[in-house]
Amino acid sequence: MAKKHKGLMGPDPTKPQRAGNVERLPAGKIVFLAPHPLPTGEPALNEGAVSELNDTWLDYGAGWPGVFGNQLILGGAFKGFLLIAVVAPLLLYPFMSQRLFNALSDGFIVNGLYMAAVALFFGLWGALSVHSKRKKVIPTRFHRQRREVCFVPEKKSGGGYEAPVFVPWESLRVWVFETRGATQYGVQQQYGMGIGYVLPGTDKWVKTEFMTPALPLAISEWEALRSYMEYEVNSLDEIQSPLAIREEGDPPWEGAHTIRNAHRRLHRRRRDGEVGWLYTLGWYLYHLLTFWTLPGYLAEFETWLLRRSGKKSLPPEMVEWSKPLPKEQWAKPSKELVPLSEEVRRIREQNPALSIEVVFSEAYKRQG
Protein backbone atom coordinates (compact mmCIF):
# COMPACT_ATOMS: atom_id res chain seq x y z
CA MET A 1 0.00 0.00 0.00
CA ALA A 2 1.22 3.50 -0.79
CA LYS A 3 1.92 5.44 2.39
CA LYS A 4 1.75 9.21 2.54
CA HIS A 5 5.05 10.73 3.51
CA LYS A 6 6.68 14.12 3.93
CA GLY A 7 10.19 15.06 2.95
CA LEU A 8 10.82 12.43 0.29
CA MET A 9 13.51 12.91 -2.31
CA GLY A 10 11.82 15.41 -4.63
CA PRO A 11 12.83 17.07 -7.90
CA ASP A 12 14.19 20.57 -8.45
CA PRO A 13 11.14 22.90 -8.76
CA THR A 14 13.08 25.45 -10.80
CA LYS A 15 13.62 23.11 -13.77
CA PRO A 16 10.87 22.69 -16.38
CA GLN A 17 9.98 19.06 -16.96
CA ARG A 18 8.00 16.71 -19.19
CA ALA A 19 7.18 13.00 -19.15
CA GLY A 20 10.31 10.91 -19.68
CA ASN A 21 12.80 13.37 -18.17
CA VAL A 22 15.28 11.92 -15.67
CA GLU A 23 17.03 13.64 -12.78
CA ARG A 24 20.03 11.81 -11.35
CA LEU A 25 20.41 11.52 -7.58
CA PRO A 26 23.56 10.66 -5.60
CA ALA A 27 22.27 7.09 -5.15
CA GLY A 28 19.35 6.78 -7.54
CA LYS A 29 17.17 8.70 -9.96
CA ILE A 30 13.87 10.52 -10.44
CA VAL A 31 11.76 9.72 -13.52
CA PHE A 32 8.98 12.09 -14.56
CA LEU A 33 5.65 10.65 -15.73
CA ALA A 34 3.99 14.04 -16.32
CA PRO A 35 3.50 16.66 -17.67
CA HIS A 36 2.06 15.42 -20.17
CA PRO A 37 0.22 12.46 -18.55
CA LEU A 38 1.14 9.70 -21.02
CA PRO A 39 0.04 6.03 -20.65
CA THR A 40 2.66 3.99 -18.82
CA GLY A 41 1.68 0.49 -19.94
CA GLU A 42 1.57 -0.69 -16.32
CA PRO A 43 -1.68 -2.09 -14.87
CA ALA A 44 -3.81 0.51 -13.07
CA LEU A 45 -3.84 -0.46 -9.38
CA ASN A 46 -5.05 1.14 -6.17
CA GLU A 47 -3.17 0.02 -3.08
CA GLY A 48 -5.50 1.91 -0.73
CA ALA A 49 -4.65 5.56 -1.41
CA VAL A 50 -7.78 6.17 -3.55
CA SER A 51 -10.36 6.87 -0.86
CA GLU A 52 -13.37 7.54 -3.07
CA LEU A 53 -14.35 8.07 -6.70
CA ASN A 54 -17.48 8.77 -8.70
CA ASP A 55 -18.37 9.91 -12.21
CA THR A 56 -16.99 13.40 -11.55
CA TRP A 57 -14.05 13.30 -9.15
CA LEU A 58 -11.55 11.03 -7.40
CA ASP A 59 -10.00 11.60 -3.96
CA TYR A 60 -6.41 10.51 -3.48
CA GLY A 61 -4.23 10.37 -0.40
CA ALA A 62 -6.67 10.30 2.50
CA GLY A 63 -7.34 6.59 2.98
CA TRP A 64 -9.77 4.98 5.43
CA PRO A 65 -9.43 3.24 8.81
CA GLY A 66 -8.46 -0.41 8.61
CA VAL A 67 -9.69 -3.50 10.39
CA PHE A 68 -6.24 -4.62 11.54
CA GLY A 69 -5.73 -1.76 14.01
CA ASN A 70 -8.98 -2.59 15.78
CA GLN A 71 -8.01 -6.26 15.86
CA LEU A 72 -4.74 -5.33 17.59
CA ILE A 73 -6.57 -3.31 20.26
CA LEU A 74 -9.30 -5.84 20.99
CA GLY A 75 -7.03 -8.86 20.63
CA GLY A 76 -4.34 -7.30 22.81
CA ALA A 77 -6.80 -6.59 25.60
CA PHE A 78 -8.39 -10.05 25.47
CA LYS A 79 -5.04 -11.83 25.27
CA GLY A 80 -3.79 -9.79 28.25
CA PHE A 81 -6.79 -10.96 30.25
CA LEU A 82 -6.26 -14.60 29.24
CA LEU A 83 -2.57 -14.40 30.08
CA ILE A 84 -3.19 -13.22 33.66
CA ALA A 85 -6.51 -14.92 34.42
CA VAL A 86 -5.98 -18.30 32.69
CA VAL A 87 -2.41 -18.98 31.57
CA ALA A 88 -0.66 -17.73 34.72
CA PRO A 89 -2.82 -19.85 37.11
CA LEU A 90 -2.25 -22.96 34.98
CA LEU A 91 1.51 -22.43 35.07
CA LEU A 92 1.61 -21.69 38.82
CA TYR A 93 -0.83 -24.39 39.96
CA PRO A 94 1.74 -27.25 40.18
CA PHE A 95 3.94 -25.15 42.48
CA MET A 96 1.23 -23.96 44.90
CA SER A 97 -0.87 -25.61 47.57
CA GLN A 98 -4.58 -26.00 46.89
CA ARG A 99 -5.41 -23.60 49.72
CA LEU A 100 -3.08 -20.87 48.42
CA PHE A 101 -4.29 -21.33 44.88
CA ASN A 102 -7.93 -20.96 45.95
CA ALA A 103 -7.06 -17.83 47.91
CA LEU A 104 -5.39 -16.25 44.89
CA SER A 105 -7.85 -17.38 42.23
CA ASP A 106 -10.06 -14.27 42.49
CA GLY A 107 -6.94 -12.09 42.30
CA PHE A 108 -5.94 -13.65 38.98
CA ILE A 109 -9.28 -12.67 37.45
CA VAL A 110 -9.20 -9.14 38.89
CA ASN A 111 -5.63 -8.57 37.71
CA GLY A 112 -6.58 -9.95 34.29
CA LEU A 113 -9.38 -7.41 34.07
CA TYR A 114 -6.95 -4.67 35.07
CA MET A 115 -4.54 -5.79 32.36
CA ALA A 116 -7.33 -5.77 29.77
CA ALA A 117 -8.46 -2.31 30.90
CA VAL A 118 -4.92 -0.89 30.62
CA ALA A 119 -4.45 -2.40 27.15
CA LEU A 120 -7.83 -1.02 26.03
CA PHE A 121 -7.01 2.42 27.43
CA PHE A 122 -3.72 2.77 25.56
CA GLY A 123 -5.18 1.22 22.42
CA LEU A 124 -8.14 3.59 22.39
CA TRP A 125 -5.89 6.56 23.17
CA GLY A 126 -3.78 5.74 20.10
CA ALA A 127 -6.86 5.14 17.94
CA LEU A 128 -8.40 8.49 18.96
CA SER A 129 -5.12 10.26 18.23
CA VAL A 130 -4.99 8.78 14.72
CA HIS A 131 -8.70 9.55 14.19
CA SER A 132 -8.11 13.17 15.15
CA LYS A 133 -5.33 13.46 12.55
CA ARG A 134 -7.45 11.76 9.87
CA LYS A 135 -10.28 14.25 10.44
CA LYS A 136 -7.96 17.08 9.42
CA VAL A 137 -6.69 15.46 6.21
CA ILE A 138 -7.99 16.98 2.99
CA PRO A 139 -7.27 14.70 0.01
CA THR A 140 -5.99 15.72 -3.39
CA ARG A 141 -9.05 15.72 -5.66
CA PHE A 142 -9.00 14.94 -9.39
CA HIS A 143 -11.93 16.41 -11.39
CA ARG A 144 -11.99 14.73 -14.77
CA GLN A 145 -14.81 16.80 -16.27
CA ARG A 146 -12.81 19.97 -15.66
CA ARG A 147 -9.47 18.18 -16.25
CA GLU A 148 -8.14 19.85 -13.13
CA VAL A 149 -6.61 18.80 -9.82
CA CYS A 150 -7.26 20.49 -6.48
CA PHE A 151 -4.58 20.73 -3.79
CA VAL A 152 -5.27 22.21 -0.36
CA PRO A 153 -1.79 22.93 1.08
CA GLU A 154 -1.16 22.78 4.81
CA LYS A 155 0.06 25.97 6.44
CA LYS A 156 3.73 25.89 7.32
CA SER A 157 2.85 26.72 10.91
CA GLY A 158 0.74 23.56 11.04
CA GLY A 159 -2.42 25.44 12.03
CA GLY A 160 -4.87 24.53 9.30
CA TYR A 161 -4.87 24.88 5.53
CA GLU A 162 -4.25 27.54 2.94
CA ALA A 163 -6.61 28.40 0.08
CA PRO A 164 -7.19 25.61 -2.48
CA VAL A 165 -4.96 25.54 -5.57
CA PHE A 166 -6.55 24.37 -8.85
CA VAL A 167 -4.05 22.89 -11.29
CA PRO A 168 -4.58 22.08 -15.00
CA TRP A 169 -4.43 18.30 -15.40
CA GLU A 170 -1.90 18.30 -18.20
CA SER A 171 0.39 20.70 -16.27
CA LEU A 172 0.60 18.44 -13.24
CA ARG A 173 4.08 17.15 -12.43
CA VAL A 174 4.35 13.50 -11.44
CA TRP A 175 7.53 11.65 -10.63
CA VAL A 176 8.69 8.33 -9.26
CA PHE A 177 12.05 7.77 -7.66
CA GLU A 178 14.31 5.00 -6.52
CA THR A 179 17.28 5.56 -4.27
CA ARG A 180 19.58 3.66 -1.94
CA GLY A 181 20.43 4.72 1.55
CA ALA A 182 22.52 3.36 4.42
CA THR A 183 20.64 2.74 7.66
CA GLN A 184 21.37 0.90 10.91
CA TYR A 185 19.86 -2.17 9.21
CA GLY A 186 22.18 -1.96 6.20
CA VAL A 187 21.70 -0.57 2.70
CA GLN A 188 18.02 -0.19 1.83
CA GLN A 189 16.31 0.56 -1.45
CA GLN A 190 13.50 3.13 -1.30
CA TYR A 191 10.78 3.87 -3.83
CA GLY A 192 8.30 6.70 -3.92
CA MET A 193 5.90 8.76 -5.98
CA GLY A 194 5.17 12.46 -5.95
CA ILE A 195 2.35 14.51 -7.43
CA GLY A 196 2.70 18.27 -7.48
CA TYR A 197 2.70 21.63 -9.17
CA VAL A 198 5.05 24.58 -9.02
CA LEU A 199 3.13 27.81 -8.55
CA PRO A 200 3.74 30.10 -11.55
CA GLY A 201 6.44 32.71 -11.00
CA THR A 202 7.75 30.96 -7.86
CA ASP A 203 9.69 27.89 -6.83
CA LYS A 204 7.00 26.88 -4.32
CA TRP A 205 5.56 23.38 -4.53
CA VAL A 206 2.05 22.24 -3.78
CA LYS A 207 2.39 18.48 -3.67
CA THR A 208 1.67 15.15 -2.04
CA GLU A 209 4.23 12.36 -1.76
CA PHE A 210 4.10 8.63 -1.07
CA MET A 211 6.36 5.70 -0.32
CA THR A 212 5.68 2.47 -2.20
CA PRO A 213 7.13 -1.05 -1.81
CA ALA A 214 8.45 -1.15 -5.40
CA LEU A 215 8.86 1.08 -8.43
CA PRO A 216 6.28 -0.72 -10.62
CA LEU A 217 3.70 -0.24 -7.87
CA ALA A 218 4.40 3.50 -7.82
CA ILE A 219 3.85 3.66 -11.59
CA SER A 220 0.68 1.55 -11.28
CA GLU A 221 -0.71 3.94 -8.65
CA TRP A 222 -0.17 6.81 -11.06
CA GLU A 223 -1.64 4.82 -13.94
CA ALA A 224 -4.86 4.39 -11.93
CA LEU A 225 -5.16 8.18 -11.60
CA ARG A 226 -4.28 8.81 -15.24
CA SER A 227 -6.73 6.17 -16.46
CA TYR A 228 -9.52 7.66 -14.38
CA MET A 229 -8.91 11.17 -15.71
CA GLU A 230 -8.87 9.88 -19.29
CA TYR A 231 -12.14 7.89 -18.83
CA GLU A 232 -10.36 4.55 -19.18
CA VAL A 233 -11.39 3.61 -15.62
CA ASN A 234 -14.81 4.34 -14.13
CA SER A 235 -15.02 2.34 -10.90
CA LEU A 236 -12.92 1.21 -7.98
CA ASP A 237 -13.41 -2.43 -9.01
CA GLU A 238 -11.38 -1.81 -12.19
CA ILE A 239 -8.28 -0.71 -10.26
CA GLN A 240 -8.59 -3.22 -7.43
CA SER A 241 -5.36 -4.92 -6.38
CA PRO A 242 -5.65 -8.71 -6.75
CA LEU A 243 -4.09 -9.08 -3.29
CA ALA A 244 -6.66 -6.89 -1.54
CA ILE A 245 -9.40 -8.52 0.54
CA ARG A 246 -12.10 -6.69 -1.34
CA GLU A 247 -14.76 -8.06 -3.65
CA GLU A 248 -16.64 -6.48 -6.52
CA GLY A 249 -19.26 -4.01 -5.34
CA ASP A 250 -17.69 -3.47 -1.90
CA PRO A 251 -17.29 0.12 -0.68
CA PRO A 252 -13.79 1.68 -0.76
CA TRP A 253 -13.37 1.32 3.00
CA GLU A 254 -12.84 -1.76 5.16
CA GLY A 255 -15.51 -3.16 7.46
CA ALA A 256 -17.29 -6.32 8.54
CA HIS A 257 -17.47 -7.31 4.87
CA THR A 258 -13.64 -7.41 4.81
CA ILE A 259 -13.57 -10.15 7.44
CA ARG A 260 -16.33 -12.09 5.67
CA ASN A 261 -14.36 -11.83 2.43
CA ALA A 262 -11.26 -13.13 4.20
CA HIS A 263 -13.32 -16.02 5.59
CA ARG A 264 -14.53 -17.00 2.12
CA ARG A 265 -11.01 -16.66 0.73
CA LEU A 266 -9.68 -18.94 3.50
CA HIS A 267 -12.13 -21.72 2.56
CA ARG A 268 -11.37 -21.29 -1.13
CA ARG A 269 -7.63 -21.60 -0.48
CA ARG A 270 -8.28 -24.62 1.77
CA ARG A 271 -10.24 -26.35 -1.01
CA ASP A 272 -7.50 -25.56 -3.53
CA GLY A 273 -4.83 -26.98 -1.27
CA GLU A 274 -2.99 -23.66 -0.81
CA VAL A 275 -3.20 -23.83 3.00
CA GLY A 276 -3.42 -26.71 5.45
CA TRP A 277 -5.47 -27.42 8.55
CA LEU A 278 -2.87 -25.82 10.85
CA TYR A 279 -3.09 -22.48 9.03
CA THR A 280 -6.91 -22.71 9.06
CA LEU A 281 -6.96 -23.41 12.80
CA GLY A 282 -4.64 -20.46 13.45
CA TRP A 283 -6.87 -18.19 11.35
CA TYR A 284 -9.96 -19.14 13.37
CA LEU A 285 -8.17 -18.73 16.70
CA TYR A 286 -6.88 -15.28 15.73
CA HIS A 287 -10.31 -14.05 14.68
CA LEU A 288 -11.99 -15.53 17.75
CA LEU A 289 -9.48 -13.71 19.98
CA THR A 290 -10.21 -10.47 18.10
CA PHE A 291 -14.01 -10.84 18.40
CA TRP A 292 -14.70 -11.93 14.81
CA THR A 293 -16.46 -9.11 12.89
CA LEU A 294 -16.49 -6.52 15.70
CA PRO A 295 -13.26 -4.81 14.48
CA GLY A 296 -14.93 -4.45 11.08
CA TYR A 297 -18.01 -2.80 12.52
CA LEU A 298 -15.79 -0.41 14.50
CA ALA A 299 -13.90 0.49 11.29
CA GLU A 300 -17.21 1.16 9.54
CA PHE A 301 -18.35 3.40 12.40
CA GLU A 302 -15.11 5.40 12.32
CA THR A 303 -15.38 5.71 8.54
CA TRP A 304 -18.93 7.05 8.93
CA LEU A 305 -17.67 9.68 11.38
CA LEU A 306 -14.82 10.66 9.03
CA ARG A 307 -17.11 10.94 6.01
CA ARG A 308 -19.52 13.07 8.00
CA SER A 309 -16.84 15.43 9.34
CA GLY A 310 -14.78 15.39 6.13
CA LYS A 311 -17.56 16.93 4.05
CA LYS A 312 -17.91 19.75 6.57
CA SER A 313 -14.15 20.46 6.61
CA LEU A 314 -13.76 20.91 2.84
CA PRO A 315 -13.20 24.55 1.78
CA PRO A 316 -16.28 26.12 0.13
CA GLU A 317 -14.27 26.82 -3.05
CA MET A 318 -13.40 23.13 -3.34
CA VAL A 319 -17.01 22.08 -2.77
CA GLU A 320 -18.24 24.42 -5.53
CA TRP A 321 -15.45 23.32 -7.89
CA SER A 322 -16.32 19.64 -7.28
CA LYS A 323 -19.83 19.91 -8.70
CA PRO A 324 -20.47 18.07 -12.00
CA LEU A 325 -20.63 20.01 -15.25
CA PRO A 326 -23.01 19.69 -18.19
CA LYS A 327 -21.45 17.38 -20.78
CA GLU A 328 -21.05 20.16 -23.32
CA GLN A 329 -18.77 21.96 -20.84
CA TRP A 330 -16.43 19.03 -20.25
CA ALA A 331 -12.79 19.88 -20.97
CA LYS A 332 -11.08 18.01 -23.80
CA PRO A 333 -7.53 16.62 -24.07
CA SER A 334 -5.02 18.93 -25.73
CA LYS A 335 -4.07 18.44 -29.36
CA GLU A 336 -0.54 17.50 -28.29
CA LEU A 337 -1.56 14.85 -25.76
CA VAL A 338 -3.67 12.63 -28.02
CA PRO A 339 -1.03 11.86 -30.71
CA LEU A 340 1.68 11.54 -28.06
CA SER A 341 -0.38 8.96 -26.16
CA GLU A 342 -1.02 7.00 -29.36
CA GLU A 343 2.69 7.08 -30.17
CA VAL A 344 3.56 5.76 -26.71
CA ARG A 345 1.18 2.82 -27.19
CA ARG A 346 2.71 2.03 -30.59
CA ILE A 347 6.23 2.04 -29.16
CA ARG A 348 5.09 -0.18 -26.28
CA GLU A 349 3.61 -2.70 -28.71
CA GLN A 350 6.81 -2.74 -30.79
CA ASN A 351 9.15 -3.15 -27.83
CA PRO A 352 7.52 -3.90 -24.44
CA ALA A 353 10.90 -4.25 -22.73
CA LEU A 354 11.86 -0.57 -23.08
CA SER A 355 12.02 1.44 -19.85
CA ILE A 356 9.33 4.05 -19.27
CA GLU A 357 11.69 7.01 -19.73
CA VAL A 358 12.99 5.66 -23.05
CA VAL A 359 9.45 5.09 -24.33
CA PHE A 360 8.35 8.63 -23.46
CA SER A 361 11.48 10.25 -24.91
CA GLU A 362 11.12 8.26 -28.13
CA ALA A 363 7.47 9.31 -28.43
CA TYR A 364 8.43 12.99 -28.16
CA LYS A 365 11.16 12.49 -30.73
CA ARG A 366 8.83 10.82 -33.24
CA GLN A 367 6.19 13.51 -32.78
CA GLY A 368 8.76 16.24 -33.28
Side-chain angles (χ1 to χ4, degrees), residues 224-242:
L225 301 177
R226 189 206 65 81
S227 298
Y228 171 81
M229 290 295 284
E230 301 298 339
Y231 294 89
E232 298 169 16
V233 160
N234 298 291
S235 71
L236 198 63
D237 294 332
E238 297 173 69
I239 55 175
Q240 181 62 52
S241 169

Side-chain angles (χ1 to χ4, degrees), residues 19-22 24 29 31-32 344 347-348 351 353-366:
N21 283 4
V22 178
R24 297 293 171 183
K29 65 178 180 179
V31 178
F32 281 85
V344 165
I347 296 171
R348 273 288 187 193
N351 195 341
L354 290 177
S355 64
I356 193 72
E357 59 266 33
V358 173
V359 172
F360 287 172
S361 298
E362 181 64 22
Y364 275 105
K365 189 186 300 182
R366 293 186 184 183

Side-chain angles (χ1 to χ4, degrees), residues 67-99:
V67 169
F68 182 66
N70 295 329
Q71 288 177 328
L72 283 181
I73 295 172
L74 295 174
F78 189 39
K79 282 182 277 190
F81 171 78
L82 292 177
L83 182 66
I84 302 299
V86 179
V87 177
L90 290 175
L91 293 176
L92 294 175
Y93 180 76
F95 307 101
M96 303 171 67
S97 67
Q98 185 67 41
R99 184 177 178 181

Side-chain angles (χ1 to χ4, degrees), residues 65-281:
V67 169
F68 182 66
N70 295 329
Q71 288 177 328
L72 283 181
I73 295 172
L74 295 174
F78 189 39
K79 282 182 277 190
F81 171 78
L82 292 177
L83 182 66
I84 302 299
V86 179
V87 177
L90 290 175
L91 293 176
L92 294 175
Y93 180 76
F95 307 101
M96 303 171 67
S97 67
Q98 185 67 41
R99 184 177 178 181
L100 180 60
F101 182 82
N102 291 338
L104 295 177
S105 59
D106 290 341
F108 286 126
I109 296 175
V110 171
N111 288 331
L113 291 173
Y114 281 139
M115 173 67 78
V118 169
L120 274 178
F121 173 79
F122 283 105
L124 290 174
W125 179 79
L128 289 173
S129 176
V130 173
H131 176 77
S132 178
K133 292 178 181 178
R134 279 202 179 105
K135 281 177 64 177
K136 300 174 184 177
V137 172
I138 298 179
T140 303
R141 180 163 288 184
F142 293 74
H143 197 305
R144 63 180 181 181
Q145 295 176 2
R146 295 181 183 274
R147 292 181 71 80
E148 292 179 348
V149 182
C150 177
F151 292 90
V152 185
E154 293 184 38
K155 291 182 179 178
K156 291 184 178 179
S157 61
Y161 290 86
E162 299 178 2
V165 178
F166 304 104
V167 178
W169 163 242
E170 294 187 27
S171 300
L172 190 70
R173 294 194 192 187
V174 179
W175 60 93
V176 293
F177 78 81
E178 54 180 323
T179 184
R180 296 178 188 86
T183 69
Q184 58 182 329
Y185 305 107
V187 177
Q188 291 187 344
Q189 191 88 4
Q190 290 186 317
Y191 306 95
M193 178 182 70
I195 300 172
Y197 181 71
V198 180
L199 297 176
T202 72
D203 59 356
K204 181 182 177 183
W205 280 106
V206 287
K207 62 180 180 178
T208 183
E209 298 169 301
F210 294 85
M211 293 288 289
T212 57
L215 192 63
L217 286 177
I219 300 174
S220 291
E221 285 269 343
W222 162 244
E223 182 62 22
L225 301 177
R226 189 206 65 81
S227 298
Y228 171 81
M229 290 295 284
E230 301 298 339
Y231 294 89
E232 298 169 16
V233 160
N234 298 291
S235 71
L236 198 63
D237 294 332
E238 297 173 69
I239 55 175
Q240 181 62 52
S241 169
L243 300 178
I245 308 176
R246 182 182 178 277
E247 295 184 357
E248 187 173 348
D250 285 346
W253 49 84
E254 292 187 3
H257 59 275
T258 306
I259 299 172
R260 296 189 189 101
N261 293 345
H263 187 217
R264 285 192 291 269
R265 178 178 292 187
L266 171 71
H267 281 277
R268 184 172 63 249
R269 295 179 68 194
R270 184 80 176 90
R271 287 193 303 268
D272 295 343
E274 296 179 27
V275 297
W277 67 268
L278 192 60
Y279 178 92
T280 304
L281 178 62

Side-chain angles (χ1 to χ4, degrees), residues 322-338:
S322 299
K323 293 179 180 177
L325 299 175
K327 194 163 186 177
E328 59 272 13
Q329 295 181 20
W330 290 7
K332 301 292 191 296
S334 66
K335 294 180 180 178
E336 295 83 5
L337 181 63
V338 174

